[in-house]
mmCIF file of all heavy atoms in Angstrom:
data_model
loop_
_atom_site.group_PDB
_atom_site.id
_atom_site.type_symbol
_atom_site.label_atom_id
_atom_site.label_comp_id
_atom_site.label_asym_id
_atom_site.label_seq_id
_atom_site.Cartn_x
_atom_site.Cartn_y
_atom_site.Cartn_z
ATOM 1 N N TYR A 205 200.677 140.780 193.769
ATOM 2 C CA TYR A 205 201.918 140.672 193.013
ATOM 3 C C TYR A 205 202.968 139.935 193.834
ATOM 4 O O TYR A 205 203.598 138.982 193.370
ATOM 5 C CB TYR A 205 202.390 142.075 192.621
ATOM 6 C CG TYR A 205 203.782 142.120 192.040
ATOM 7 C CD1 TYR A 205 204.012 141.733 190.724
ATOM 8 C CD2 TYR A 205 204.856 142.553 192.803
ATOM 9 C CE1 TYR A 205 205.280 141.758 190.200
ATOM 10 C CE2 TYR A 205 206.133 142.590 192.284
ATOM 11 C CZ TYR A 205 206.348 142.190 190.981
ATOM 12 O OH TYR A 205 207.605 142.217 190.461
ATOM 13 N N VAL A 208 202.196 136.255 194.053
ATOM 14 C CA VAL A 208 202.487 135.514 192.826
ATOM 15 C C VAL A 208 203.990 135.333 192.670
ATOM 16 O O VAL A 208 204.472 134.252 192.335
ATOM 17 C CB VAL A 208 201.874 136.229 191.593
ATOM 18 C CG1 VAL A 208 202.326 135.525 190.324
ATOM 19 C CG2 VAL A 208 200.366 136.246 191.679
ATOM 20 N N VAL A 209 204.738 136.419 192.945
ATOM 21 C CA VAL A 209 206.200 136.311 192.822
ATOM 22 C C VAL A 209 206.703 135.221 193.763
ATOM 23 O O VAL A 209 207.538 134.388 193.390
ATOM 24 C CB VAL A 209 206.878 137.660 193.168
ATOM 25 C CG1 VAL A 209 208.378 137.473 193.340
ATOM 26 C CG2 VAL A 209 206.599 138.682 192.080
ATOM 27 N N HIS A 212 205.656 131.801 192.465
ATOM 28 C CA HIS A 212 206.413 131.563 191.241
ATOM 29 C C HIS A 212 207.827 131.137 191.594
ATOM 30 O O HIS A 212 208.358 130.151 191.073
ATOM 31 C CB HIS A 212 206.414 132.860 190.415
ATOM 32 C CG HIS A 212 207.093 132.730 189.087
ATOM 33 N ND1 HIS A 212 208.411 133.044 188.906
ATOM 34 C CD2 HIS A 212 206.625 132.345 187.889
ATOM 35 C CE1 HIS A 212 208.727 132.839 187.650
ATOM 36 N NE2 HIS A 212 207.659 132.420 187.004
ATOM 37 N N GLU A 218 213.674 129.115 192.479
ATOM 38 C CA GLU A 218 214.687 130.146 192.295
ATOM 39 C C GLU A 218 215.194 130.646 193.638
ATOM 40 O O GLU A 218 215.988 131.568 193.703
ATOM 41 C CB GLU A 218 214.105 131.315 191.517
ATOM 42 C CG GLU A 218 213.943 131.006 190.046
ATOM 43 C CD GLU A 218 212.908 131.886 189.417
ATOM 44 O OE1 GLU A 218 212.385 132.775 190.102
ATOM 45 O OE2 GLU A 218 212.616 131.680 188.235
ATOM 46 N N TRP A 338 210.607 149.261 183.065
ATOM 47 C CA TRP A 338 210.713 147.822 183.253
ATOM 48 C C TRP A 338 211.065 147.139 181.924
ATOM 49 O O TRP A 338 211.920 146.271 181.862
ATOM 50 C CB TRP A 338 209.375 147.299 183.780
ATOM 51 C CG TRP A 338 209.290 145.818 183.804
ATOM 52 C CD1 TRP A 338 209.822 144.980 184.741
ATOM 53 C CD2 TRP A 338 208.657 144.971 182.840
ATOM 54 N NE1 TRP A 338 209.557 143.683 184.423
ATOM 55 C CE2 TRP A 338 208.849 143.642 183.260
ATOM 56 C CE3 TRP A 338 207.948 145.215 181.660
ATOM 57 C CZ2 TRP A 338 208.353 142.558 182.548
ATOM 58 C CZ3 TRP A 338 207.459 144.142 180.951
ATOM 59 C CH2 TRP A 338 207.662 142.831 181.395
ATOM 60 N N LEU A 339 210.419 147.588 180.845
ATOM 61 C CA LEU A 339 210.623 146.931 179.556
ATOM 62 C C LEU A 339 212.076 147.054 179.093
ATOM 63 O O LEU A 339 212.637 146.125 178.518
ATOM 64 C CB LEU A 339 209.680 147.523 178.507
ATOM 65 C CG LEU A 339 209.627 146.669 177.239
ATOM 66 C CD1 LEU A 339 208.776 145.437 177.470
ATOM 67 C CD2 LEU A 339 209.080 147.477 176.076
ATOM 68 N N ASN A 341 214.657 146.859 180.711
ATOM 69 C CA ASN A 341 215.530 145.892 181.354
ATOM 70 C C ASN A 341 215.178 144.447 181.077
ATOM 71 O O ASN A 341 215.651 143.555 181.754
ATOM 72 C CB ASN A 341 215.538 146.138 182.865
ATOM 73 C CG ASN A 341 216.358 147.357 183.196
ATOM 74 O OD1 ASN A 341 217.475 147.510 182.699
ATOM 75 N ND2 ASN A 341 215.803 148.242 183.994
ATOM 76 N N THR A 342 214.323 144.224 180.087
ATOM 77 C CA THR A 342 214.062 142.839 179.707
ATOM 78 C C THR A 342 214.833 142.529 178.434
ATOM 79 O O THR A 342 215.385 143.411 177.786
ATOM 80 C CB THR A 342 212.572 142.615 179.420
ATOM 81 O OG1 THR A 342 212.208 143.436 178.321
ATOM 82 C CG2 THR A 342 211.714 142.962 180.615
ATOM 83 N N ARG A 343 214.854 141.246 178.114
ATOM 84 C CA ARG A 343 215.454 140.801 176.860
ATOM 85 C C ARG A 343 214.852 141.547 175.671
ATOM 86 O O ARG A 343 215.543 142.013 174.783
ATOM 87 C CB ARG A 343 215.108 139.333 176.670
ATOM 88 C CG ARG A 343 216.242 138.429 176.601
ATOM 89 C CD ARG A 343 215.723 137.009 176.767
ATOM 90 N NE ARG A 343 216.774 136.232 177.334
ATOM 91 C CZ ARG A 343 217.849 135.884 176.640
ATOM 92 N NH1 ARG A 343 217.970 136.189 175.389
ATOM 93 N NH2 ARG A 343 218.807 135.207 177.219
ATOM 94 N N LEU A 344 213.517 141.637 175.693
ATOM 95 C CA LEU A 344 212.812 142.296 174.598
ATOM 96 C C LEU A 344 213.259 143.750 174.480
ATOM 97 O O LEU A 344 213.540 144.241 173.393
ATOM 98 C CB LEU A 344 211.302 142.223 174.853
ATOM 99 C CG LEU A 344 210.411 142.883 173.798
ATOM 100 C CD1 LEU A 344 210.538 142.170 172.472
ATOM 101 C CD2 LEU A 344 208.960 142.887 174.242
ATOM 102 N N GLN A 346 216.054 145.054 175.466
ATOM 103 C CA GLN A 346 217.433 145.096 174.969
ATOM 104 C C GLN A 346 217.444 144.881 173.456
ATOM 105 O O GLN A 346 218.171 145.556 172.733
ATOM 106 C CB GLN A 346 218.259 144.023 175.686
ATOM 107 C CG GLN A 346 219.745 144.071 175.367
ATOM 108 C CD GLN A 346 220.449 145.216 176.079
ATOM 109 O OE1 GLN A 346 219.825 146.007 176.778
ATOM 110 N NE2 GLN A 346 221.745 145.338 175.876
ATOM 111 N N ASN A 347 216.617 143.923 172.988
ATOM 112 C CA ASN A 347 216.527 143.709 171.543
ATOM 113 C C ASN A 347 216.044 144.971 170.838
ATOM 114 O O ASN A 347 216.550 145.331 169.773
ATOM 115 C CB ASN A 347 215.554 142.569 171.228
ATOM 116 C CG ASN A 347 216.128 141.229 171.608
ATOM 117 O OD1 ASN A 347 217.295 141.142 172.002
ATOM 118 N ND2 ASN A 347 215.334 140.189 171.509
ATOM 119 N N ARG A 349 216.386 148.050 171.800
ATOM 120 C CA ARG A 349 217.471 149.039 171.773
ATOM 121 C C ARG A 349 218.478 148.692 170.682
ATOM 122 O O ARG A 349 218.939 149.550 169.936
ATOM 123 C CB ARG A 349 218.177 149.080 173.121
ATOM 124 C CG ARG A 349 217.400 149.812 174.190
ATOM 125 C CD ARG A 349 218.130 149.761 175.508
ATOM 126 N NE ARG A 349 219.405 150.472 175.448
ATOM 127 C CZ ARG A 349 220.466 150.127 176.177
ATOM 128 N NH1 ARG A 349 220.419 149.109 176.989
ATOM 129 N NH2 ARG A 349 221.583 150.819 176.078
ATOM 130 N N THR A 350 218.800 147.396 170.586
ATOM 131 C CA THR A 350 219.765 146.976 169.565
ATOM 132 C C THR A 350 219.231 147.295 168.173
ATOM 133 O O THR A 350 219.938 147.867 167.343
ATOM 134 C CB THR A 350 220.026 145.461 169.685
ATOM 135 O OG1 THR A 350 220.301 145.161 171.045
ATOM 136 C CG2 THR A 350 221.186 145.038 168.826
ATOM 137 N N GLN A 353 219.451 150.874 167.377
ATOM 138 C CA GLN A 353 220.778 151.437 167.119
ATOM 139 C C GLN A 353 221.306 151.019 165.754
ATOM 140 O O GLN A 353 221.901 151.816 165.055
ATOM 141 C CB GLN A 353 221.755 150.971 168.201
ATOM 142 C CG GLN A 353 221.370 151.409 169.589
ATOM 143 C CD GLN A 353 222.063 152.672 169.997
ATOM 144 O OE1 GLN A 353 223.057 153.057 169.411
ATOM 145 N NE2 GLN A 353 221.535 153.357 170.985
ATOM 146 N N ASN A 354 221.145 149.750 165.425
ATOM 147 C CA ASN A 354 221.711 149.289 164.167
ATOM 148 C C ASN A 354 221.023 147.990 163.748
ATOM 149 O O ASN A 354 221.207 146.954 164.358
ATOM 150 C CB ASN A 354 223.215 149.052 164.344
ATOM 151 C CG ASN A 354 223.900 148.779 163.027
ATOM 152 O OD1 ASN A 354 223.318 148.165 162.132
ATOM 153 N ND2 ASN A 354 225.117 149.226 162.894
ATOM 154 N N VAL A 357 223.446 144.982 162.607
ATOM 155 C CA VAL A 357 224.101 144.308 163.733
ATOM 156 C C VAL A 357 223.086 143.444 164.473
ATOM 157 O O VAL A 357 223.381 142.316 164.864
ATOM 158 C CB VAL A 357 224.737 145.346 164.680
ATOM 159 C CG1 VAL A 357 225.246 144.665 165.931
ATOM 160 C CG2 VAL A 357 225.873 146.068 163.989
ATOM 161 N N SER A 360 222.564 140.251 162.683
ATOM 162 C CA SER A 360 223.679 139.315 162.809
ATOM 163 C C SER A 360 223.746 138.733 164.214
ATOM 164 O O SER A 360 224.357 137.698 164.420
ATOM 165 C CB SER A 360 224.989 139.998 162.440
ATOM 166 O OG SER A 360 225.439 140.777 163.514
ATOM 167 N N ALA A 361 223.120 139.425 165.189
ATOM 168 C CA ALA A 361 223.089 138.862 166.539
ATOM 169 C C ALA A 361 221.869 137.968 166.723
ATOM 170 O O ALA A 361 221.557 137.568 167.837
ATOM 171 C CB ALA A 361 223.083 139.987 167.574
ATOM 172 N N ALA A 484 232.092 159.424 157.718
ATOM 173 C CA ALA A 484 232.486 158.028 157.566
ATOM 174 C C ALA A 484 232.898 157.741 156.130
ATOM 175 O O ALA A 484 233.762 156.909 155.876
ATOM 176 C CB ALA A 484 231.326 157.110 157.968
ATOM 177 N N ALA A 485 232.305 158.454 155.196
ATOM 178 C CA ALA A 485 232.550 158.149 153.777
ATOM 179 C C ALA A 485 233.957 158.532 153.354
ATOM 180 O O ALA A 485 234.559 159.432 153.858
ATOM 181 C CB ALA A 485 231.540 158.888 152.905
ATOM 182 N N MET B 96 230.667 144.456 164.053
ATOM 183 C CA MET B 96 229.270 144.242 164.380
ATOM 184 C C MET B 96 229.043 144.716 165.818
ATOM 185 O O MET B 96 228.707 143.929 166.691
ATOM 186 C CB MET B 96 228.919 142.766 164.228
ATOM 187 C CG MET B 96 228.892 142.332 162.787
ATOM 188 S SD MET B 96 227.564 143.164 161.908
ATOM 189 C CE MET B 96 227.795 142.562 160.261
ATOM 190 N N LEU B 97 229.285 145.979 166.050
ATOM 191 C CA LEU B 97 229.176 146.518 167.395
ATOM 192 C C LEU B 97 228.183 147.665 167.411
ATOM 193 O O LEU B 97 227.970 148.317 166.407
ATOM 194 C CB LEU B 97 230.524 147.060 167.870
ATOM 195 C CG LEU B 97 231.649 146.049 168.069
ATOM 196 C CD1 LEU B 97 232.911 146.772 168.464
ATOM 197 C CD2 LEU B 97 231.282 145.037 169.120
ATOM 198 N N ILE B 98 227.621 147.913 168.590
ATOM 199 C CA ILE B 98 226.714 149.056 168.744
ATOM 200 C C ILE B 98 227.401 150.104 169.585
ATOM 201 O O ILE B 98 227.675 149.879 170.766
ATOM 202 C CB ILE B 98 225.400 148.587 169.379
ATOM 203 C CG1 ILE B 98 224.812 147.573 168.417
ATOM 204 C CG2 ILE B 98 224.491 149.773 169.660
ATOM 205 C CD1 ILE B 98 223.372 147.574 168.248
ATOM 206 N N GLY B 100 226.523 152.831 170.954
ATOM 207 C CA GLY B 100 225.824 153.392 172.106
ATOM 208 C C GLY B 100 225.680 152.408 173.263
ATOM 209 O O GLY B 100 225.068 152.744 174.263
ATOM 210 N N PHE B 101 226.210 151.198 173.121
ATOM 211 C CA PHE B 101 226.097 150.200 174.188
ATOM 212 C C PHE B 101 227.420 150.089 174.940
ATOM 213 O O PHE B 101 228.473 150.439 174.416
ATOM 214 C CB PHE B 101 225.751 148.826 173.589
ATOM 215 C CG PHE B 101 224.300 148.648 173.266
ATOM 216 C CD1 PHE B 101 223.432 149.725 173.243
ATOM 217 C CD2 PHE B 101 223.788 147.391 172.982
ATOM 218 C CE1 PHE B 101 222.099 149.558 172.938
ATOM 219 C CE2 PHE B 101 222.458 147.211 172.673
ATOM 220 C CZ PHE B 101 221.614 148.293 172.657
ATOM 221 N N GLU B 105 227.319 144.954 177.121
ATOM 222 C CA GLU B 105 226.127 144.779 176.297
ATOM 223 C C GLU B 105 226.498 144.300 174.900
ATOM 224 O O GLU B 105 225.800 143.505 174.292
ATOM 225 C CB GLU B 105 225.348 146.101 176.207
ATOM 226 C CG GLU B 105 224.526 146.394 177.441
ATOM 227 C CD GLU B 105 223.887 147.763 177.392
ATOM 228 O OE1 GLU B 105 224.551 148.734 176.978
ATOM 229 O OE2 GLU B 105 222.726 147.874 177.757
ATOM 230 N N LEU B 109 225.628 140.680 173.134
ATOM 231 C CA LEU B 109 224.579 141.049 172.190
ATOM 232 C C LEU B 109 223.851 139.815 171.655
ATOM 233 O O LEU B 109 224.465 138.920 171.091
ATOM 234 C CB LEU B 109 225.197 141.822 171.026
ATOM 235 C CG LEU B 109 224.247 142.676 170.222
ATOM 236 C CD1 LEU B 109 223.743 143.820 171.065
ATOM 237 C CD2 LEU B 109 224.968 143.220 169.000
ATOM 238 N N GLY B 110 222.547 139.783 171.859
ATOM 239 C CA GLY B 110 221.749 138.672 171.348
ATOM 240 C C GLY B 110 221.870 137.424 172.208
ATOM 241 O O GLY B 110 221.164 136.450 171.987
ATOM 242 N N GLU B 112 222.032 137.683 175.793
ATOM 243 C CA GLU B 112 221.975 138.234 177.140
ATOM 244 C C GLU B 112 221.640 137.152 178.168
ATOM 245 O O GLU B 112 220.925 136.205 177.861
ATOM 246 C CB GLU B 112 220.910 139.348 177.211
ATOM 247 C CG GLU B 112 221.268 140.608 176.471
ATOM 248 C CD GLU B 112 220.904 140.558 174.997
ATOM 249 O OE1 GLU B 112 220.345 139.531 174.560
ATOM 250 O OE2 GLU B 112 221.186 141.539 174.280
ATOM 251 N N SER B 114 219.573 136.236 181.401
ATOM 252 C CA SER B 114 218.373 136.823 181.978
ATOM 253 C C SER B 114 217.750 135.869 182.978
ATOM 254 O O SER B 114 218.035 134.673 182.986
ATOM 255 C CB SER B 114 217.383 137.184 180.887
ATOM 256 O OG SER B 114 217.117 136.037 180.109
ATOM 257 N N ALA B 116 214.125 134.518 184.892
ATOM 258 C CA ALA B 116 212.690 134.387 184.661
ATOM 259 C C ALA B 116 211.930 135.375 185.539
ATOM 260 O O ALA B 116 212.339 135.679 186.652
ATOM 261 C CB ALA B 116 212.247 132.967 184.967
ATOM 262 N N THR B 117 210.844 135.910 185.020
ATOM 263 C CA THR B 117 209.946 136.741 185.809
ATOM 264 C C THR B 117 208.543 136.205 185.611
ATOM 265 O O THR B 117 208.331 135.283 184.815
ATOM 266 C CB THR B 117 209.969 138.202 185.351
ATOM 267 O OG1 THR B 117 209.505 138.240 184.004
ATOM 268 C CG2 THR B 117 211.358 138.794 185.424
ATOM 269 N N ILE B 118 207.598 136.826 186.312
ATOM 270 C CA ILE B 118 206.219 136.384 186.125
ATOM 271 C C ILE B 118 205.790 136.624 184.690
ATOM 272 O O ILE B 118 205.199 135.769 184.041
ATOM 273 C CB ILE B 118 205.282 137.149 187.064
ATOM 274 C CG1 ILE B 118 205.735 136.887 188.486
ATOM 275 C CG2 ILE B 118 203.849 136.724 186.880
ATOM 276 C CD1 ILE B 118 205.104 137.805 189.465
ATOM 277 N N ALA B 119 206.128 137.815 184.191
ATOM 278 C CA ALA B 119 205.740 138.148 182.825
ATOM 279 C C ALA B 119 206.316 137.146 181.849
ATOM 280 O O ALA B 119 205.656 136.755 180.890
ATOM 281 C CB ALA B 119 206.200 139.558 182.480
ATOM 282 N N SER B 121 206.988 134.024 182.361
ATOM 283 C CA SER B 121 206.312 132.718 182.391
ATOM 284 C C SER B 121 205.027 132.771 181.600
ATOM 285 O O SER B 121 204.552 131.770 181.102
ATOM 286 C CB SER B 121 205.983 132.266 183.813
ATOM 287 O OG SER B 121 206.738 132.943 184.736
ATOM 288 N N LYS B 125 210.085 133.900 176.903
ATOM 289 C CA LYS B 125 211.440 134.222 177.345
ATOM 290 C C LYS B 125 211.836 135.673 177.111
ATOM 291 O O LYS B 125 212.690 136.210 177.808
ATOM 292 C CB LYS B 125 212.393 133.294 176.580
ATOM 293 C CG LYS B 125 213.688 133.056 177.312
ATOM 294 C CD LYS B 125 214.479 131.941 176.646
ATOM 295 C CE LYS B 125 215.753 131.713 177.397
ATOM 296 N NZ LYS B 125 216.959 132.058 177.086
ATOM 297 N N SER B 126 211.207 136.294 176.099
ATOM 298 C CA SER B 126 211.679 137.630 175.741
ATOM 299 C C SER B 126 211.377 138.650 176.829
ATOM 300 O O SER B 126 211.944 139.728 176.823
ATOM 301 C CB SER B 126 211.052 138.080 174.425
ATOM 302 O OG SER B 126 209.676 138.261 174.589
ATOM 303 N N LEU B 127 210.518 138.321 177.783
ATOM 304 C CA LEU B 127 210.252 139.270 178.852
ATOM 305 C C LEU B 127 211.045 138.942 180.122
ATOM 306 O O LEU B 127 210.786 139.489 181.182
ATOM 307 C CB LEU B 127 208.757 139.345 179.162
ATOM 308 C CG LEU B 127 207.962 140.088 178.075
ATOM 309 C CD1 LEU B 127 206.503 140.184 178.455
ATOM 310 C CD2 LEU B 127 208.519 141.479 177.839
ATOM 311 N N GLU B 128 212.018 138.049 179.993
ATOM 312 C CA GLU B 128 212.882 137.804 181.151
ATOM 313 C C GLU B 128 213.706 139.034 181.445
ATOM 314 O O GLU B 128 214.059 139.799 180.554
ATOM 315 C CB GLU B 128 213.809 136.619 180.855
ATOM 316 C CG GLU B 128 213.070 135.301 180.938
ATOM 317 C CD GLU B 128 214.012 134.125 180.766
ATOM 318 O OE1 GLU B 128 215.203 134.362 180.508
ATOM 319 O OE2 GLU B 128 213.539 132.985 180.886
ATOM 320 N N ARG B 129 214.017 139.183 182.726
ATOM 321 C CA ARG B 129 214.750 140.368 183.154
ATOM 322 C C ARG B 129 216.247 140.146 182.958
ATOM 323 O O ARG B 129 216.775 139.082 183.263
ATOM 324 C CB ARG B 129 214.446 140.614 184.624
ATOM 325 C CG ARG B 129 214.689 142.010 185.042
ATOM 326 C CD ARG B 129 214.249 142.191 186.491
ATOM 327 N NE ARG B 129 214.735 143.477 186.945
ATOM 328 C CZ ARG B 129 214.152 144.627 186.656
ATOM 329 N NH1 ARG B 129 213.054 144.634 185.946
ATOM 330 N NH2 ARG B 129 214.658 145.765 187.083
ATOM 331 N N LEU B 130 216.933 141.175 182.441
ATOM 332 C CA LEU B 130 218.370 141.042 182.208
ATOM 333 C C LEU B 130 219.101 140.907 183.538
ATOM 334 O O LEU B 130 218.796 141.603 184.498
ATOM 335 C CB LEU B 130 218.907 142.269 181.481
ATOM 336 C CG LEU B 130 218.342 142.535 180.099
ATOM 337 C CD1 LEU B 130 219.027 143.750 179.507
ATOM 338 C CD2 LEU B 130 218.517 141.332 179.196
ATOM 339 N N LYS B 132 222.215 141.880 184.763
ATOM 340 C CA LYS B 132 223.366 142.688 184.360
ATOM 341 C C LYS B 132 224.655 142.317 185.097
ATOM 342 O O LYS B 132 225.707 142.277 184.478
ATOM 343 C CB LYS B 132 223.031 144.166 184.512
ATOM 344 C CG LYS B 132 222.034 144.580 183.436
ATOM 345 C CD LYS B 132 221.942 146.054 183.248
ATOM 346 C CE LYS B 132 221.077 146.315 182.016
ATOM 347 N NZ LYS B 132 220.471 147.642 182.019
ATOM 348 N N PRO B 291 237.615 155.596 151.468
ATOM 349 C CA PRO B 291 237.454 154.534 152.467
ATOM 350 C C PRO B 291 237.770 153.168 151.864
ATOM 351 O O PRO B 291 237.254 152.824 150.814
ATOM 352 C CB PRO B 291 235.971 154.616 152.846
ATOM 353 C CG PRO B 291 235.481 155.894 152.305
ATOM 354 C CD PRO B 291 236.389 156.350 151.230
#
Side-chain angles (χ1 to χ4, degrees):
Chain A
Y205 170 77
V208 174
V209 168
H212 183 266
E218 285 157 4
W338 171 80
L339 193 76
N341 285 313
T342 62
R343 241 166 208 288
L344 180 65
Q346 186 75 357
N347 288 354
R349 284 178 65 211
T350 311
Q353 299 265 342
N354 189 326
V357 172
S360 79
Chain B
M96 289 295 177
L97 294 177
I98 299 218
F101 279 13
E105 282 174 318
L109 200 67
E112 290 85 1
S114 55
T117 62
I118 301 167
S121 341
K125 205 170 181 255
S126 67
L127 287 182
E128 285 185 356
R129 202 175 169 79
L130 298 182
K132 289 197 172 157

